[in-house]
């Protein structure tokens, strides 16, 4: 199935890790899996999960101000606690927390009111389900997976019937999400704990697409996924096809009260432009408190990124990946008609900046957001090897605090020289 066009031009999505783990501010699910806290301590957080100030309309408004085009909410993490009133299993926020209500429906409605695409995160694995640790991965990726009692049966104690019950539960919950909420994107996780055949990925994919053929699936559906999902660092080479960088605003996915290591707006602009310059989307994660409010530091970062995007909108939406490394020292994007280059500079340019290997003549260069025209010239060049295109540095008043963008209008579609030079 071809990739949905909306995804390729979305550029920015917001990831929301929201669940009972925000009560004590412990790592989501992993804290009991690895023994950082006891299982009893972890599950006691159910009693403190109130969602008392949960306002999905305020979330959606913030995401729109940030310049995002979609969002992804953790409908169920590895801890098995569903945020909707599922008929599959009993562990959910509606029946077992003071929140006492479906937390998915309002989110879905609020996003659609802002014309944002709806994403739901769902973990294949459920470390709380009684039938989950009933078989073993034929080739476990590491020793922890093969020995942890929350994820794998002890050797010789496998129970295929229990596993079949688990898959029916997993499929039933996914069916509910598709039928009730009609998500534009399903963001799966936890796939490393079993093989594609054990998960029944083909059957699950067919089930989802029968309910909504336009659903986008991430690569954690293994060979049935539509796009790659690297985490926490811009790849040095873009993955093949569509992709998305998952990045936290601080160091944590969910709310952790002790984590004040928030990235600056300038750093987020850098991550964002490096990602879209390589043809990917940025999925930027926030972790709401248990009451549903997003920490002020994270709101400030999203609004700061949104302000930069709004000023440089032409360089963001309706663009494709820009110049390969070596032609320009920084990220760049290219207009969809391939006739305008957008060069990003994190530091104030001095004297002049260069573009190498550009065969095109340059018609005009402006500072995006200031609409100031800059002088440009070409030096050198011999035969088929083009010279260097030099562009005058912008005035200090036109330099953006986060990152400056120069719009380079070309005489024709981008034509680059990639050779080794004259022998």
């Amino acid at each position: 199935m071809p990739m949905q066009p909306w995804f390729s031009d979305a550029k920015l999505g917001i990831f929301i890790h929201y669940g009972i783990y925000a009560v004590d501010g412990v790592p989501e699910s992993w804290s009991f899996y690895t023994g950082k806290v006891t299982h009893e301590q972890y599950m006691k957080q159910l009693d403190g999960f109130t969602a008392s100030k949960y306002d999905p309309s305020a979330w959606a408004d913030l995401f729109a101000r940030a310049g995002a085009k979609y969002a992804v909410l953790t409908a169920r993490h590895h801890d098995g606690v569903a945020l909707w009133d599922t008929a599959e299993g009993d562990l959910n926020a509606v029946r077992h927390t003071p929140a006492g209500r479906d937390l998915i429906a309002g989110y879905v409605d609020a996003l659609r009111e802002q014309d944002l695409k709806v994403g739901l995160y769902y973990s294949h694995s459920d470390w709380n389900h009684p039938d989950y640790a009933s078989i073993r991965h034929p080739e476990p990726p590491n020793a922890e997976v093969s020995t942890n009692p929350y994820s794998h049966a002890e050797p010789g104690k496998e129970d295929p019937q229990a596993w079949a019950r688990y898959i029916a539960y997993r499929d039933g919950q996914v069916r509910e999400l598709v039928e009730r909420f009609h998500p534009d994107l399903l963001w799966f996780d936890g796939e490393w704990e079993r093989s594609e055949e054990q998960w029944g990925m083909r059957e699950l994919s067919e089930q989802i697409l029968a309910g909504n053929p336009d659903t986008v699936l991430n690569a954690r559906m293994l060979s049935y996924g539509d796009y790659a999902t690297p985490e926490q660092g811009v790849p040095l080479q873009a993955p093949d096809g569509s992709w998305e960088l998952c990045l936290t605003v601080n160091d944590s996915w969910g709310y952790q009260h002790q984590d004040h290591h928030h990235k600056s707006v300038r750093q987020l602009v850098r991550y964002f432009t490096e990602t879209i310059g390589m043809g990917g989307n940025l999925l930027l994660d926030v972790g709401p408190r248990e009451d549903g409010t997003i920490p002020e530091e994270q709101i400030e970062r999203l609004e700061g990124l949104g302000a930069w995007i709004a000023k440089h909108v032409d360089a963001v939406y309706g663009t494709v990946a820009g110049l390969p490394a070596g032609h320009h020292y920084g990220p760049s994007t290219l207009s969809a008609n391939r006739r305008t280059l957008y060069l990003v500079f994190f530091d104030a340019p001095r004297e002049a900046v260069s573009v190498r290997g550009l065969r095109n003549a340059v018609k005009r260069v402006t500072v995006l957001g200031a609409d100031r025209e800059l002088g440009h010239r070409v030096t050198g060049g011999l035969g088929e090897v083009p010279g260097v295109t030099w562009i005058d540095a912008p005035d200090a008043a036109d330099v953006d605090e986060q990152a400056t963008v120069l719009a380079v209008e070309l005489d024709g579609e981008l034509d680059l020289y990639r050779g080794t030079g004259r022998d």
Side-chain angles (χ1 to χ4, degrees):
M1 184 182 74
M3 191 57 166
Q4 294 297 314
W6 71 261
F7 183 86
S8 301
D9 197 40
K11 307 304 181 186
L12 179 66
I14 305 298
F15 213 173
I16 312 111
H17 275 69
Y18 186 42
I20 65 169
Y21 35 86
V23 174
D24 293 341
V26 295
E28 56 293 329
S29 305
W30 290 96
S31 50
F32 78 81
Y33 182 85
T34 61
K36 182 176 181 179
V37 301
T38 66
H39 182 263
E40 181 183 11
Q41 286 175 305
Y42 187 91
M43 298 311 293
K44 190 167 176 44
Q45 293 178 106
L46 286 165
D47 299 334
F49 188 66
T50 68
S52 59
K53 297 179 182 178
Y54 175 54
D55 183 354
S57 294
W59 282 12
D61 183 63
L62 171 64
F63 303 160
R65 293 200 308 276
K69 300 300 182 182
Y70 66 108
V72 178
L73 172 64
T74 48
R76 179 177 73 64
H77 208 268
H78 316 312
D79 61 11
V81 182
L83 295 188
W84 78 100
D85 190 14
T86 176
E88 301 286 344
D90 186 57
L91 186 54
N92 63 73
V94 182
R95 278 173 259 171
H96 291 287
T97 76
R101 65 192 189 280
D102 182 323
L103 300 174
I104 303 291
Y107 156 85
V108 170
D109 291 343
L111 289 190
R112 293 200 164 122
E113 286 175 10
Q114 291 281 357
D115 199 26
L116 301 178
K117 297 294 185 181
V118 173
L120 294 174
Y121 166 111
Y122 184 87
S123 173
H124 293 293
S125 56
D126 180 344
W127 296 330
N128 257 314
H129 196 282
D131 292 324
Y132 183 64
S134 55
I135 63 169
R136 301 178 62 78
H137 193 306
E139 297 179 2
N142 54 56
E144 185 177 57
V145 166
S146 62
T147 59
N148 194 297
Y150 289 113
S151 59
H152 273 58
E154 294 180 25
K157 294 187 177 181
E158 293 191 274
D159 184 348
Q161 289 183 321
W163 181 250
R165 290 195 300 270
Y166 178 78
I167 289 297
Y169 151 81
R170 190 272 318 258
D171 291 353
Q173 286 200 329
V174 173
R175 185 180 295 108
E176 288 178 344
L177 294 176
V178 172
E179 292 179 352
R180 290 192 202 178
F181 307 118
H182 310 288
D184 301 289
L185 184 154
L186 279 171
W187 208 104
F188 286 95
D189 201 6
E191 81 297 340
W192 64 87
E193 293 205 323
R194 298 289 186 273
S195 70
E196 184 167 299
E197 183 179 8
Q198 288 173 320
W199 285 126
M201 291 300 197
R202 179 178 62 82
E203 294 83 357
L204 180 60
S205 171
E206 289 173 352
Q207 171 190 305
I208 293 166
L209 298 179
N212 180 10
D214 294 334
T215 309
V216 175
L217 305 174
N218 72 337
R220 298 172 196 199
M221 282 290 290
L222 301 176
S223 62
Y224 296 91
D226 297 313
Y227 71 95
T229 54
E231 293 185 19
Q232 296 289 55
V234 180
L236 295 180
Q237 291 187 349
D240 292 335
S242 299
W243 63 282
E244 164 194 80
L245 171 66
C246 314
L247 182 76
T248 51
V249 172
N250 54 5
D251 290 336
S252 310
W253 297 103
Y255 176 70
Q256 294 189 36
H257 49 79
Q258 85 288 351
D259 184 356
H260 302 293
H261 192 213
H262 293 87
K263 298 171 183 66
S264 66
V265 173
R266 183 178 284 112
Q267 286 176 312
L268 293 177
V269 168
R270 182 180 288 252
Y271 275 108
F272 177 64
T273 54
E274 288 174 343
T275 300
I276 67 171
M278 293 173 67
N281 291 349
L282 176 63
L283 185 64
L284 186 60
D285 177 81
V286 296
R289 303 179 184 92
E290 65 79 19
D291 65 4
T293 57
I294 296 174
E296 291 74 14
E297 300 94 334
Q298 298 188 353
I299 292 174
E300 290 171 6
R301 268 62 176 189
L302 263 59
E303 290 179 337
L305 176 59
W308 185 90
I309 291 173
K311 181 179 175 182
H312 303 92
V313 65
D314 290 348
V316 176
Y317 309 117
T319 65
V320 297
L323 297 168
H327 290 272
H328 155 63
Y329 295 104
S332 61
T333 59
L334 179 64
S335 62
N337 67 5
R338 304 186 61 82
R339 290 172 176 265
T340 303
L341 269 173
Y342 299 99
L343 309 179
V344 181
F345 297 88
F346 300 123
D347 300 311
R350 293 187 298 178
E351 185 184 348
V353 297
S354 64
V355 182
R356 300 192 300 171
L358 187 61
R359 286 195 176 110
N360 303 79
V362 172
K363 295 169 64 177
R364 194 168 81 115
V365 181
T366 54
V367 183
L368 206 59
D371 201 29
R372 185 101 58 202
E373 190 163 346
L374 301 177
H376 57 88
R377 71 204 63 83
V378 176
T379 61
L382 180 64
E384 67 170 8
V385 182
V388 175
T389 299
W390 292 95
I391 301 168
D392 293 342
D395 294 338
D398 295 331
V399 172
D400 187 89
E401 182 181 358
Q402 317 302 345
T404 304
V405 180
L406 304 186
V408 181
E409 299 176 29
L410 307 175
D411 184 10
E413 295 186 15
L414 176 66
D415 184 10
L416 289 180
Y417 174 75
R418 300 283 290 162
T420 58
R422 185 170 182 263
D423 292 337

